[in-house]
Amino acid sequence: MKMSKLLLAITIILASLQTPALAQFPMGGSTQPKALPGTAGDQAPKGSARISGSVIDSTSSQGIEFVSIALYNKKSGQAIDGTVADEKGKFALTKIVEGDYKVLLSFIGYGDKTIDNIKLAKGQELDLGTIKMSSNTKTLNEVTVTGQAALIEEKVDRLVYNAEKDITAKGGDATDILRKVPLLTVDLDGNVSLRGSQNIRVLINNKPSTIIANSVADALKQIPADQIKSVEVITSPSAKYDAEGSGGIINIITKKNSLQGLNLNVDAGVGNRGSMLSLNGGYRKGKAGFTIGGFGRGMYNTVTKTSLEQTSVVENVTSVTRQTGDGSSRGLFGNYNLGFDYDIAKNQSLTAGVKYGVRNLSNRQDLITRITRTGETDFNSSRDVDARNLSGTVDVNVDYLHTFKPQQEWSISTLYSRNDLTNDFDANILNGNNELTSRQRNLNKNLNQEFTFQSDYQTPIKKNQLLEFGGKGIFRQVNSDYNFLIADATGDFRPETDQPSGALLYHQNIAAGYTSYTYTTKSRYTFKGGVRYEHTFIDASTNEGSVGVGNYGVLVPSFNASKTIKGTTVKLAYNRRIQRPGLQQLNPNFNSANPQNITIGNPELRPELTNNFEVGLSKNIKKTFVNATFFGRVTNNAISQVRQPSDTLAGAIVTTYQNIGKQHAYGTNIFANVAATSKINFGVFANVFYTKLTGQTIGQNGDSQELTNTGFNVSGGIFSQATFKNGWGAQAFGFMQGNQVQLQGMQGGFGFYTLGVKKEFGNKKGSVGIAAENFLSKRYKIHTELNSIQFNQVNDVYLYNRGIRLTFTYKIGKMTMDAPKRKAKSVNNDDVKSDGAQGGGGGAPAGGGGPK
């Protein structure tokens, strides 16, 4: 594919979409901020009364800009309208119906201010005068929650879980937070599923990274849990999102601030299975700001025991394999960043950043294998395997944002991402007398690079409509070199002729354009619809020549609607998604770290297409917030694992990937949060869905035979949090995952629970805490059964994950408040499938995901 062809496609998209709009809508202007169509502020009742006022600092008497003002109905306690103060602290609420109200004013760094007992008559114009707010640094760490919207926020296309108050997550990573997010399931290895699907995209602050495309589980280990502000679960992505991610998108928002001055936060934790240290600092003066941060985590003392029993039949010869394993893993994970932002003008900003992520994971396993074959003597062997999964990821971004007036803006975003990945193993082969007989080595080096350019524009149309459109180009290149070497007990390594060395060169370039339209009616129905077109150009080759994967285009529609009826919000959604194959699915490396379970990728895989349907209900019932969602998902051309016995390696099962499957899933997610008191709240959640998987397997005569498996998948959990006097707090969480249906069998469930206590000191500048997980059980067992016409396999994995950790945090530096500025948007790619497994294999295009 010629680069000029893709550049021409992008140029046509940008020229056709943006030029007319920039001419049609006036630039500049200064108006009172308006609510986005579809939000509570835009849906306020229409009357003739008016409330106005001005907010100032009680000490400096200066106006405080961007203070949040919320209007509450005194009788129902519901927020019915809201606005934001302008640059001088002035505000106005208009078109209010007569009645009894109260006004709540809030802003970070200041104590909340409530003006009670407001009585409005029809047509009355009430001036609240000058309102003084006092600085209160405690509000930086403690927020009084009034209503459950502070914990769970419902938007037209997503659910937002605010995670700032997690006590048990101190010293942990992002997986500790995601386990508590409604709709999500995180297994004990850190693999994330949304409604039972691992075909999701994970973003960090709306930005992708090549390391996420390689392994979501490993990437999440690099994000400290106590730096996460919120998690957005986007179950029905609109057209402005990349078309990838058939299950949905998860966007992790980390904590930010707009403080002036110099600050440094220190977080540390030490435990019996892991330790961490995090340093994050920032300096801001005037229009310019700098941030620097680093997070490191060590993992150790992680023990795993396995047992495997499998029977296979090849050419009427039956092989019975019994294998036991004793394993351990250790690793170092790091994430370092340097950021810069500058306000070019009042309505223009420039943002740039460099991030570096490092993963150094080592797994050691001692395997003892006995193979019994028909008419032959039993074969006994031992195998000591040392596997290494190493990577270094660099992300560099430069973003520009021009805001013409509220909700009218134009942005340009660029991103360069590079991931150097190593996935090797060394194995010593021992005989029944524990004597070294031979050695094996697999070397797999990968380099994933991508460059992304995009431009986006949005503008309001009247007061109840919003139009968005943009174009995007992604240029990717992947190099994967793999070698399989063998050696005698004392000799040098030499190439293995049965498993030859090779290389994969994979170019994947994408040109995309989209348009999205949001409309809110007078009766407060909100509709958001759009369409996106993506054309993918692929050029792939191995040592044996060109790989037959052609170019393809896909049109992706989306539709979201919501309506609030008597306090109940109803949502309806449909979207079509595409799922491109990911790293391990494509990589042709022959991975035989365990010779009884071998994995080989397939570089000829094509994408899969999924249609998603969703109906959701949410309601506040006094002190309880309830959300229930009913969904359906139909996937054709699904990328499925195909397992069959090896015809050359006795007792071995070889796994590869093919576009042969169909997947149907129908179910519900239910979540409820109860504020028992102002200090104690708890919640419960459950995920139940029925799935039907259809694919193909290889029969005894080598012919293809259709295989179908069905069943229910059930998971759920409970959590509770309490705050006490003198800075004390406690939190508990428990989760259970039932059996999971697979095409060729069933994977067993597991449980997970934590309990934590924290004590704050020094006017909340510091804290110490202790958290324990799975402390009532020594280990967990995951029981998996796979079967087909040619083989049966029973695999038990025992995870020893009882843990305890001590945490410490302290804040250094004196800060003053400054109004937050809207920073430039950033590139978001979400178009590569990850199988969720740790360790990746490299050799495929990388990506991330998100809104433009």
Side-chain angles (χ1 to χ4, degrees), residues 151 161-166 177 181 225 228-231 255:
L151 180 65
Y161 178 83
N162 295 308
E164 294 179 277
K165 285 191 170 184
D166 197 322
I177 292 293
V181 177
I228 297 176
K229 178 182 179 182
S230 62
V231 179
K255 296 177 181 176

Side-chain angles (χ1 to χ4, degrees), residues 721-770:
Q721 179 173 296
T723 57
F724 307 103
K725 295 181 179 179
N726 302 319
W728 285 96
Q731 183 167 310
F733 171 79
F735 173 80
M736 288 295 295
Q737 169 69 59
N739 293 338
Q740 300 180 69
V741 177
Q742 298 187 342
L743 179 61
Q744 290 177 284
M746 187 79 67
Q747 178 175 305
F750 63 92
F752 188 90
Y753 54 90
T754 62
L755 178 65
V757 179
K758 183 180 72 171
K759 174 69 170 70
E760 296 176 324
F761 61 88
N763 197 24
K764 296 194 175 183
K765 285 187 175 181
S767 69
V768 293
I770 183 171

Side-chain angles (χ1 to χ4, degrees), residues 80-191:
I80 64 168
D81 202 357
T83 189
V84 178
D86 63 14
E87 292 84 352
K88 297 181 180 180
K90 296 181 179 181
F91 69 90
L93 295 165
T94 61
K95 298 183 179 179
I96 306 172
V97 298
E98 58 183 310
D100 296 336
Y101 301 97
K102 68 177 181 179
V103 172
L104 175 65
L105 298 91
S106 60
F107 188 63
I108 185 171
Y110 290 84
D112 291 352
K113 186 84 171 183
T114 301
I115 302 176
D116 214 338
N117 300 320
I118 297 176
K119 293 183 179 294
L120 282 181
K122 186 175 181 180
Q124 180 181 357
E125 295 189 4
L126 176 62
D127 186 355
L128 298 178
T130 300
I131 305 169
K132 296 182 179 180
M133 294 184 68
S134 301
S135 178
N136 179 4
T137 57
K138 291 183 179 181
T139 59
L140 290 172
N141 302 300
E142 181 178 4
V143 178
T144 300
V145 179
T146 56
Q148 300 309 315
L151 180 65
I152 303 293
E153 294 182 55
E154 279 282 349
K155 298 186 178 180
V156 69
D157 62 347
R158 70 193 67 190
L159 181 145
V160 182
Y161 178 83
N162 295 308
E164 294 179 277
K165 285 191 170 184
D166 197 322
I167 296 173
T168 61
K170 282 286 184 181
D173 56 43
T175 57
D176 298 304
I177 292 293
L178 265 62
R179 284 192 177 99
K180 304 171 187 180
V181 177
L183 312 183
L184 301 184
T185 301
V186 184
D187 68 18
L188 294 179
D189 290 326
N191 303 313

Side-chain angles (χ1 to χ4, degrees), residues 2-59:
K2 299 293 185 180
M3 185 72 73
S4 58
K5 185 187 296 184
L6 179 59
L7 289 173
L8 178 61
I10 297 171
T11 302
I12 293 173
I13 290 171
L14 293 177
S16 62
L17 290 177
Q18 286 187 252
T19 306
L22 289 171
Q24 179 180 356
F25 297 100
M27 309 299 181
S30 176
T31 62
Q32 181 75 12
K34 295 182 176 62
L36 179 67
T39 64
D42 183 68
Q43 299 176 1
K46 306 303 181 183
S48 57
R50 183 177 189 272
I51 298 176
S52 61
S54 179
V55 189
I56 65 171
D57 186 290
S58 62
T59 303

Side-chain angles (χ1 to χ4, degrees), residues 161 163 166 168-181 184-187 190-192 202-204 212 216-231 250-254 276 295 297 335 752 805:
Y161 178 83
D166 197 322
T168 61
K170 282 286 184 181
D173 56 43
T175 57
D176 298 304
I177 292 293
L178 265 62
R179 284 192 177 99
K180 304 171 187 180
V181 177
L184 301 184
T185 301
V186 184
D187 68 18
N191 303 313
V192 185
V202 178
L203 313 178
I204 313 299
I212 293 178
V216 171
D218 288 342
L220 295 178
K221 290 183 175 68
Q222 299 181 22
I223 306 171
D226 52 357
Q227 290 300 309
I228 297 176
K229 178 182 179 182
S230 62
V231 179
I250 301 171
N251 187 24
I252 300 174
I253 306 297
T254 59
M276 59 80 67
F295 167 77
R297 187 184 188 201
N335 198 325
F752 188 90
R805 59 177 177 261

Side-chain angles (χ1 to χ4, degrees), residues 259-265 765 810-816:
L259 304 181
Q260 293 279 337
L262 178 68
N263 74 305
L264 177 65
N265 297 335
K765 285 187 175 181
Y810 195 78
K811 299 176 176 64
I812 303 171
K814 184 177 181 180
M815 311 299 295
T816 59

